[in-house]
Amino acid sequence: RAPAPPTPLPQASPRGAPPTLTMSWQDYVDTQLVASGSVHQAALLSADDASVWGSTPDFCPRGYEAAVMNEDGSESTVTVNEAADLVAFMNTGTRPAAGVRINGEKYMPVRVAMDPVTAYLKKPKGGACITRTASAIVVATYSEDAGHASGGCNIAVENLGEYLRSNGI
């Protein structure tokens, strides 16, 4: 079960009542990541099992079979569990055997920082940034075809990650 989101800015309440403080995890995806204009797809996931707390439509960890290249140059088919692989990758910084895959697409790690745990990934015509907090994994992708650049995506993810960390999440 997802922890309660951190307290957002107060919203006006009817008839002079004290302001209410409500915001869902989906709101963080929509207002802090996608609304930045630098993010194509995004998700907030549990750091324990990568269950989805909020995401853009159809963007989530998946399970499937994929072909991978072996060290001897031969190819084999492996079962990919993106949820388990993302959790392990963000806990250790070690690339999964089948590569870093998000939403069925493979990414190449460019840089992995361990404090705070943040990974910067690339693929043709785009990339992604992932950061881990005590309870959450923040994932966002960018698309060069949509006019996005890595820097804007990275800033959106880093800022949300820092905000969650500062609130103990």
Side-chain angles (χ1 to χ4, degrees), residues 45-117:
L45 311 171
S46 163
D48 292 329
D49 61 6
S51 58
V52 178
W53 294 352
S55 71
T56 53
D58 299 320
F59 186 72
C60 62
R62 302 179 184 281
Y64 51 91
E65 300 289 316
V68 296
M69 187 70 66
N70 299 315
E71 288 188 27
D72 65 4
S74 64
E75 201 173 87
S76 61
T77 301
V78 298
T79 300
V80 174
N81 178 338
E82 290 181 353
D85 288 348
L86 273 173
V87 169
F89 178 56
M90 295 312 291
N91 284 335
T92 66
T94 303
R95 184 180 62 83
V100 179
R101 295 171 185 260
I102 305 167
N103 202 43
E105 296 190 40
K106 189 173 181 179
Y107 291 79
M108 174 67 96
V110 175
R111 181 169 57 108
V112 178
M114 294 309 288
D115 188 25
V117 179

Side-chain angles (χ1 to χ4, degrees), residues 19 21 102 120 131 146:
L21 302 173
I102 305 167
Y120 305 90
T131 195

Side-chain angles (χ1 to χ4, degrees), residues 17-29:
T20 58
L21 302 173
T22 58
M23 192 164 181
S24 72
W25 290 116
Q26 185 62 49
D27 292 334
Y28 284 95
V29 171

Side-chain angles (χ1 to χ4, degrees), residues 33-34 36-43 56 59 102 105-111 119-130 139-157:
L33 298 172
V34 177
S36 72
S38 299
V39 169
H40 181 63
Q41 295 178 306
T56 53
F59 186 72
I102 305 167
E105 296 190 40
K106 189 173 181 179
Y107 291 79
M108 174 67 96
V110 175
R111 181 169 57 108
Y120 305 90
L121 312 169
K122 184 75 175 120
K123 70 173 191 156
K125 299 271 188 181
C129 183
I130 309 170
V139 181
T141 67
Y142 64 92
S143 168
E144 292 171 3
D145 289 338
H148 304 144
S150 61
C153 179
N154 295 348
I155 289 169
V157 169

